[in-house]
Amino acid sequence: MMYKVICEISFPVLGIQIDVNIPINKTVLYVTKMLDKIIEENVSAEYQSKDNSILVNKRTGLVYDKNVLIKNTDICNGSKLTYY
């Protein structure tokens, strides 16, 4: 059974892309908070997280609902996402 997927996530505000393991049994909201923490700890300590941040599929432009589990979205291994 697969519990995580690895995705390429772009952060346009910072001008970087990183590969992230995303747990599939968590909500999109949990993942956005996780991404904020990754940025603060590893990229920029001055980064200010926002409550209205969104996760977007780079290929389709789909904005993910924050209340949906990752496993109930089209996010899979190799997905390219953007975090605004």
Side-chain angles (χ1 to χ4, degrees):
M1 182 89 186
M2 185 173 49
Y3 297 103
K4 293 184 179 184
V5 292
I6 188 163
C7 301
E8 179 184 288
I9 302 180
S10 301
F11 300 89
V13 173
L14 302 171
I16 62 167
Q17 290 183 18
I18 58 173
D19 291 333
V20 178
N21 284 314
I22 297 176
I24 63 169
N25 61 341
K26 300 292 184 182
T27 63
V28 173
L29 178 62
Y30 177 90
V31 171
T32 60
K33 299 297 181 191
M34 181 182 82
L35 293 173
D36 286 337
K37 189 171 184 174
I38 289 171
I39 294 169
E40 288 172 13
E41 291 178 356
N42 300 314
V43 179
S44 174
E46 292 85 35
Y47 176 77
Q48 295 294 319
S49 60
K50 303 174 195 162
D51 290 333
N52 61 346
S53 295
I54 57 172
L55 194 60
V56 180
N57 186 311
K58 240 184 188 181
R59 293 185 180 132
T60 65
L62 175 69
V63 177
Y64 294 104
D65 181 348
K66 290 187 178 187
N67 299 315
V68 176
L69 291 175
I70 296 297
K71 67 181 175 185
N72 295 332
T73 67
D74 63 351
I75 297 173
C76 59
N77 280 323
S79 291
K80 294 181 185 279
L81 308 172
T82 303
Y83 184 62
Y84 291 102

